[in-house]
Amino acid sequence: MGATLGALRGSLTFSRFYVTGDIPDDVPGTTLKRIRANAFQPLSPDDEKNEGAGWASIEDPFDTDLDHEKVFYNEYVCLGLRLDRWAIPGPLLKAHLREAEQALLAKRGLERLGRQAKADLKTMVVRKLRRQLVPSLKSYDVVWNLRTNILHLYSQSERIAALLDDLFKRTFKVDLVPESPGTAADRLGLDAKEARAFAGLEPTFLSRVEEEAR
């Protein structure tokens, strides 16, 4: 099972970023190869990592065979940030681990297992259970306007934003700057008087909790 959140469907919740750095004049012509190189790769039950992320089609997270028509729409770069994760229920893992440990103790004629033997047994059990399950899947829409260099990530999770930041830099060789009053003012190019006025602003708290936590 999976979830798709973003520009084409689901709730309209997003984070906004400014794309900065040495942006190519011809993004479609210079980046498609790197986009394809960073497309999502399926997780393997034998992987040490518990999750994996990569690009997919914004219209279908199962479609990772990306070409020009699936990514570039006029002045927009549209991609899905696909995140798969192995999620083995705790009680299921404990039950299988206990069963495997008892079988190994009986086989070796031991009363208890050492730390390394337990770690190796857990790795074996986890891999066995992964072969019986499928990873959970989520996909988050990413839309980059090449005219304004404003990017929308259709999630407000800091963790997903961090994943995007790493994948985006690897793919496009540019930086993402989160939108804030400060970065917005900097992009507007305030004159000296406006800059002094902005620097003198005091934060306004929208809830008592925020003010008390200050």
Side-chain angles (χ1 to χ4, degrees):
M1 298 179 65
T4 302
L5 311 172
L8 304 184
R9 61 191 69 83
S11 59
L12 194 62
T13 301
F14 62 84
S15 304
R16 188 152 71 167
F17 300 84
Y18 301 121
V19 181
T20 64
D22 188 12
I23 302 171
D25 293 332
D26 179 18
V27 171
T30 58
T31 64
L32 181 59
K33 185 176 181 179
R34 291 200 301 270
I35 292 171
R36 292 175 61 86
N38 287 282
F40 178 82
Q41 299 296 319
L43 293 176
S44 166
D46 296 326
D47 286 341
E48 291 187 7
K49 61 182 181 180
N50 200 44
E51 65 180 25
W55 299 123
S57 166
I58 195 172
E59 295 184 341
D60 180 3
F62 291 98
D63 183 1
T64 57
D65 184 18
L66 301 172
D67 57 28
H68 189 282
E69 288 71 25
K70 296 175 183 177
V71 176
F72 302 102
Y73 302 83
N74 298 321
E75 72 266 33
Y76 293 95
V77 178
C78 300
L79 289 162
L81 170 58
R82 176 172 166 178
L83 174 65
D84 279 23
R85 184 175 185 275
W86 291 110
I88 301 175
L92 179 66
L93 177 59
K94 287 182 180 179
H96 281 260
L97 194 55
R98 183 168 55 249
E99 180 181 340
E101 185 173 341
Q102 290 172 351
L104 187 58
L105 288 172
K107 179 180 179 180
R108 296 184 177 179
L110 300 174
E111 293 186 359
R112 58 180 299 180
L113 296 177
R115 180 178 300 177
Q116 186 58 51
K118 286 185 176 181
D120 293 342
L121 185 63
K122 182 177 181 181
T123 298
M124 183 191 71
V125 170
V126 166
R127 290 176 176 174
K128 179 181 177 181
L129 289 174
R130 284 177 175 179
R131 291 186 176 91
Q132 302 170 21
L133 302 170
V134 294
S136 64
L137 180 158
K138 289 187 177 181
S139 181
Y140 303 88
D141 291 352
V142 177
V143 179
W144 173 15
N145 186 317
L146 295 174
R147 182 175 55 81
T148 63
N149 282 321
I150 291 176
L151 179 143
H152 289 86
L153 165 66
Y154 286 82
S155 169
Q156 291 186 333
S157 164
E158 292 184 4
R159 179 171 174 272
I160 300 304
L163 285 174
L164 172 66
D165 185 67
D166 177 69
L167 183 59
F168 199 84
K169 286 179 179 178
R170 229 182 317 134
T171 304
F172 297 101
K173 312 301 182 184
V174 292
D175 295 317
L176 292 179
V177 178
E179 181 190 46
S180 69
T183 55
D186 184 63
R187 282 174 62 87
L188 285 173
L190 304 181
D191 61 29
K193 181 178 180 181
E194 291 170 334
R196 288 194 298 271
F198 184 84
L201 294 176
E202 293 290 334
T204 298
F205 298 97
L206 302 179
S207 71
R208 186 185 300 272
V209 173
E210 290 180 352
E211 187 169 7
E212 290 176 349
R214 190 181 180 205

